[in-house]
Amino acid sequence: MLHITADVTQVREEFGLDARKSLLFSAIRLDSYPFVAPLIARTGTEHLLLVRQQEQGNALSAGVPKDRMRFYAPWVTIDPRIIADTPAAESLTHLVGELADGGPVTLAADVVYAHQLALSGSVELVVSDQEPTPVTAYEVDPADVLATFAGWRETGVRTASRLIADVPHLSGLAEEFTSRKDSRFAELKKLAAERSLDAVLLAATPNFTEATGRARPDGAVALWLSGPERLVVLLPEGSDALPGASAGEFPSVGAAVRALASGARTGVEEEWISVGLARELTREGAELVPVTTALAHWRDIRDHEDLAFQVVAARASVFAIEEALAWAEEGLDAGRSFSELDINAVYLDKIAEFRTAHAIPFGIEPYFTNLHSSNRMLFPGPPVDHPVDHETTCVQLDAGVRIVFDGVDVATSDMARSLPRTEAAKEAYRFFFDVVREGIIGQIRPGAVCEDVHEGTLRYLAPHLERMVAIGMLGTDADFNTEYRKRNVGHLMGKQESFANELRPGYKHVLQIGSYGAAEIPWRYGNVAIGTEDLWYIGRDRTYVLSRR
C-alpha cells in the first residue's frame, strides 16, 4: 500500500529539506503553502519525495538526491533542454496513480485537503483521522477590527504621502490613499451569501489576520458566522487567552463549528486545512465547500483600501533590489567575486536602510527572495553559497517585502530586476523593460480583462521573437506562444502574490480603478535567466508604475 504524508519534520529529518526556507513557492503562497509543499510517499521498498517541478532546482540545491525524488506539474519553460532529462507527471494525481499501481493509497492526517479532493475517484483512498484538540472560543467584535485597521491606515497614509511627495511620476497618487474605507466584512458577507454558507472557517494566516486584525497563534482559526454575522476565534488548548470573555469551550474545532454555526454549509480553505481537520468537520455534520480561491479574490479586490501600504512596499522593494544589484555590478566590474548570499545580505541591509532613512514607523520584512545566478541554474530559487564572478552570465533578483503591524501583514510587494553580463542578455533585458511597461502595463486600464492582457502581450512580443532567436536568447525547438500561454505575465497583488487573479489565459477578472498588481516577463533560455517585473496601480486618471524610481 502507498502511504503519503506531509509531515514537515519527517521531510527535514529524512531528506534534509526545510520547505519554507528552501523552496520558493512555499514562501510565496502564504494562504496555501501546504498545497505546494513536498510529500513523502512510502512504498513497500522505498521512500520518495514528491515535488512540484518548479522547485526542482531548489530541492537539488538543498542536497536532496535526484533519485529519491519524483516530480509532478511540469514546469513551463521556453527552453526544453532545462527539463529534458527530468520527467514530470502531469499532476500529483497522475503521479500517485503511477506509484500506487492500482492499489489503495493512505493519506496521513497532515496531508492538505485539496489533495484528497483531487485524488478522490482516481485511486482508492484510506484517509487518516487526527487527534481532536480542545479549543476555547472568543468573540471578536468586527467594529474593533475595523478600528484597528483604520488606525494603522492613518499611519500608512501619512507615511506614504511623505514618501512620494517628491516623486514626479507618482504625482496625484496620494489623493487616492484612504484610511476609512473598509469593505472586508461587507465582502465576506457577500461571499458567504453567494455560496449559501452558514459559516466560513478562516485558518490560513492571510485570511485569519484580514478578518481579526491579530497575528495568528499556532493552530488558531477564525469562524465567520453568517446568520448572526459574528466573528469567533477558536484557540487550541494551552494558547494564551484573547482579551474578553470566552464564548465557550469545545472538545475540537469540529465540535465548535457544529455548536456555533446555524447550519451545515461551511466554507473551508481546501489548500490549507488538513484531511484530518476536514474529516473532523464532516464527522460533526459539516458540509464542506472549498473557498480558497474565493477568499483570495476577497482579499485581491480590496487591496486599494491599503494602497498607502502597497506604495511603501513597492518603494522599499525597488530601492533594495536595485541597490543590491548595483553593488554586485560594481564589484564584478572591479574584478571581485562573492556569493549569492553576499548579494542577499546587501539586499536585506538595503531594506533596513530604506526604513531608517525614511523613518518608516512600521515593519518592513522580507516576504520571499528569488536570487540566483544563471550559471548555477535557470530554475527560480532562494540564494545559496554559490560564487558570482567573471563566469556569471546573469543574476536574477525577484523579491518582495511585507509591511507588518503587530504581526499582521497589511501589504506585500513582488518585483524583479536582473544583472545581465553578456551582450545578448543586456539587449534582451532592455527590451523586456519595454515589454513590461509598454506591452503589459500599457494595456492595464479600467475594463481590461486579465486573459486579454496576456494575449495582447504575446502580440507585442511577436515581431521581436526573430531578434531573440538571432542573438541566442530563444530557440526554434519550442512553440513560444503555446508555452507562454501556460504561464502568466502578471497577477494581482496585495497580502500576497495572487493565484486567484492572474494575467493569463482563462482568467476573466475585469480590472478596475483600484486594481493593484505586478507585470512580469521571466525569460530563461540557454545560459541566462532574466526577470523583469514592475508593480502597477490603476488610478482614477491613469495607471501608475509604483516600482519605477
Side-chain angles (χ1 to χ4, degrees):
M1 177 181 287
L2 181 66
H3 183 276
I4 296 177
T5 179
D7 190 308
V8 293
T9 301
Q10 291 184 39
V11 171
R12 184 171 59 250
E13 292 178 350
E14 188 167 349
F15 292 90
L17 182 66
D18 185 330
R20 296 303 303 280
K21 292 182 179 179
S22 299
L23 302 185
L24 181 63
F25 279 79
S26 292
I28 289 176
R29 297 184 71 143
L30 299 177
D31 69 347
S32 55
Y33 70 78
F35 176 64
V36 295
L39 301 166
I40 298 177
R42 297 191 183 92
T43 67
T45 58
E46 59 186 344
H47 290 185
L48 300 170
L49 195 66
L50 311 186
V51 184
R52 294 172 69 90
Q53 193 175 41
Q54 63 197 5
E55 303 286 12
Q56 176 179 318
N58 297 326
L60 292 171
S61 297
V64 183
K66 191 172 184 178
D67 62 357
R68 296 200 64 196
M69 288 188 285
R70 297 293 184 272
F71 299 103
Y72 66 96
W75 187 52
V76 178
T77 173
I78 58 174
D79 189 344
R81 295 170 297 180
I82 300 171
I83 56 175
D85 63 345
T86 308
E90 180 181 338
S91 65
L92 180 65
T93 299
H94 283 81
L95 179 55
V96 170
E98 292 172 13
L99 296 173
D101 193 25
V105 178
T106 296
L107 298 183
D110 54 32
V111 174
V112 71
Y113 181 47
H115 292 332
Q116 178 186 347
L117 294 176
L119 291 167
S120 295
S122 64
V123 294
E124 179 187 344
L125 285 180
V126 179
V127 183
S128 304
D129 292 326
Q130 68 177 20
E131 288 294 323
T133 299
V135 294
T136 302
Y138 292 89
E139 189 99 17
V140 175
D141 188 345
D144 291 342
V145 177
L146 297 178
T148 295
F149 278 99
W152 291 342
R153 287 169 170 173
E154 288 175 1
T155 302
V157 168
R158 290 194 300 270
T159 304
S161 298
R162 171 171 50 83
L163 185 63
I164 64 171
D166 298 320
V167 181
H169 69 89
L170 298 181
S171 175
L173 181 59
E175 297 172 12
E176 305 199 24
F177 296 161
T178 180
S179 63
R180 291 296 170 183
K181 182 179 180 181
D182 198 322
S183 62
R184 78 188 62 236
F185 292 119
E187 290 295 333
L188 186 56
K189 178 181 177 181
K190 179 180 176 183
L191 182 157
E194 289 174 344
R195 290 158 180 80
S196 301
L197 301 177
D198 302 298
V200 182
L201 193 67
L202 303 161
T205 301
N207 296 327
F208 180 96
T209 56
E210 276 288 280
T212 67
R214 304 167 189 263
R216 177 177 170 269
D218 288 343
V221 298
L223 186 64
W224 171 257
L225 301 168
S226 301
E229 296 185 24
R230 293 171 60 203
L231 179 64
V232 174
V233 170
L234 305 178
L235 285 183
E237 187 176 53
S239 303
D240 292 336
L242 292 182
S246 165
E249 296 182 355
F250 305 91
S252 67
V253 170
V257 173
R258 180 191 62 191
L260 296 169
S262 60
R265 284 182 60 84
T266 304
V268 296
E269 300 141 320
E270 75 281 6
E271 295 184 4
W272 180 277
I273 69 166
S274 66
V275 298
L277 179 54
R279 283 177 62 81
E280 179 179 292
L281 290 163
T282 54
R283 279 198 311 272
E284 295 288 351
E287 178 188 344
L288 305 187
V289 181
V291 292
T292 289
T293 298
L295 287 170
H297 187 70
W298 168 67
R299 298 192 311 269
D300 290 348
I301 61 173
R302 296 182 297 101
D303 281 326
H304 60 283
E305 296 173 6
D306 285 312
L307 176 60
F309 294 129
Q310 321 290 7
V311 168
V312 175
R315 305 308 289 172
S317 279
V318 68
F319 173 80
I321 289 174
E322 292 188 353
E323 288 294 308
L325 290 182
W327 175 88
E329 183 174 33
E330 181 181 357
L332 289 174
D333 287 347
R336 295 194 296 271
S337 62
F338 33 86
S339 74
E340 293 174 7
L341 290 177
D342 292 324
I343 301 175
N344 188 57
V346 174
Y347 166 68
L348 296 178
D349 285 345
K350 292 299 179 181
I351 294 175
E353 179 183 323
F354 179 90
R355 184 184 180 197
T356 299
H358 296 284
I360 306 295
F362 38 78
I364 306 179
E365 301 175 4
Y367 163 33
F368 74 93
T369 305
N370 168 23
L371 195 172
H372 64 96
S373 49
S374 296
N375 53 318
R376 174 165 73 89
M377 66 174 184
L378 298 190
F379 282 91
V384 300
D385 189 16
H386 183 83
V388 175
D389 53 27
H390 66 281
E391 295 183 351
T392 300
T393 51
C394 187
V395 176
Q396 178 180 353
L397 179 45
D398 178 352
V401 300
R402 301 182 296 126
I403 303 300
V404 185
F405 269 97
D406 297 338
V408 175
D409 292 352
V410 293
T412 59
S413 61
D414 175 12
M415 60 161 289
R417 296 288 186 265
S418 301
L419 176 55
R421 300 295 291 172
T422 68
E423 290 307 311
K426 290 177 182 178
E427 178 180 336
Y429 187 48
R430 290 191 295 269
F431 168 59
F432 296 148
F433 268 110
D434 290 339
V435 177
V436 167
R437 293 181 177 174
E438 302 298 328
I440 305 176
I441 298 177
Q443 301 180 66
I444 293 175
R445 60 181 63 90
V449 180
C450 287
E451 64 178 357
D452 293 344
V453 175
H454 189 284
E455 196 63 27
T457 304
L458 292 182
R459 289 196 298 271
Y460 190 94
L461 282 165
H464 305 276
L465 296 181
E466 286 188 9
R467 178 59 183 171
M468 292 297 105
V469 173
I471 64 176
M473 289 297 298
L474 183 63
T476 57
D477 48 353
D479 183 333
F480 176 85
N481 282 350
T482 297
E483 291 306 308
Y484 231 81
R485 283 192 177 95
K486 297 176 184 177
R487 63 149 298 124
N488 68 42
V489 295
H491 47 78
L492 294 193
M493 195 73 211
K495 306 306 183 296
Q496 68 167 58
E497 176 179 336
S498 176
F499 293 89
N501 296 295
E502 301 182 56
L503 306 179
R504 69 186 302 170
Y507 285 69
K508 301 184 182 300
H509 176 63
V510 179
L511 303 176
Q512 303 291 354
I513 293 173
S515 294
Y516 162 63
E520 63 178 325
I521 290 291
W523 197 280
R524 301 176 178 94
Y525 189 84
N527 62 353
V528 172
I530 292 175
T532 314
E533 184 171 19
D534 269 317
L535 290 157
W536 49 263
Y537 172 77
I538 302 178
R540 290 190 288 266
D541 300 319
R542 67 184 190 277
T543 299
Y544 297 86
V545 182
L546 304 184
S547 52
R548 180 161 68 89
R549 289 177 78 175

